[in-house]
Amino acid sequence: MDCLFCKIIAGEIPANKVYEDDKVLAFYDINPQAPVHILVIPKIHISTLNDVNKENSEVIAHIFEVIPQIAEKMNLEKGYRVVSNCSLYGGQTVFHIHFHILGGKKFGVSFG
Ligand code: AMP
Ligand code: ZN
């Protein structure tokens, strides 16, 4: 499958990893939009949020257990933002579901 994030999981493309276990991987975004910008992805290929279902949602729950651990490691004790862009109008560019952890600054209420 021609998926950038599957290639990162397979080790075919390098990534600057910050967390890894048997189900998920987290690494620095190559084009950071905040002082701290981490992507968290499942190791199984799920294209978009619309493809989450009863069979694969356990890994999504696991991602949300891992996010606070990553935030702590990144010293985001003042808070952070988690974003997942879904499909065309959501601005998704990589079609392997991922959650952006954005931190290190105070965000406003705008979502652009
Ligand atoms: P999205 O637009 O929500 O699909 O987010 C995709 C993100 O992947 C963007 O923020 C990109 O900067 C990031 N990205 C693309 N290629 C890489 C890469 N090789 N390593 C790390 N992050 C990447
Ligand atoms: Zn993939």
Side-chain angles (χ1 to χ4, degrees), residues 10-58:
E12 292 164 16
I13 291 174
N16 196 352
K17 296 178 187 180
V18 297
Y19 176 92
E20 182 169 19
D21 64 27
D22 57 328
K23 297 192 195 74
V24 316
L25 178 64
F27 52 92
Y28 284 96
D29 195 293
I30 205 168
N31 182 23
Q33 302 299 310
V36 176
H37 189 169
I38 308 288
L39 299 175
V40 191
I41 66 174
K43 286 190 171 178
I44 55 167
H45 181 87
I46 301 171
S47 295
T48 81
L49 266 175
N50 290 334
D51 301 300
V52 175
N53 56 45
K54 277 196 163 56
E55 278 66 53
N56 62 22
S57 61
E58 195 185 325

Side-chain angles (χ1 to χ4, degrees), residues 82-93:
V82 176
V83 173
S84 188
N85 299 323
C86 181
S87 207
L88 183 64
Y89 271 26
Q92 187 173 6
T93 59

Side-chain angles (χ1 to χ4, degrees), residues 57-76:
S57 61
E58 195 185 325
V59 71
I60 305 300
H62 183 63
I63 282 173
F64 279 87
E65 288 170 17
V66 159
I67 283 172
Q69 297 175 37
I70 297 170
E72 189 178 5
K73 190 173 171 182
M74 294 290 122
N75 301 309
L76 301 179

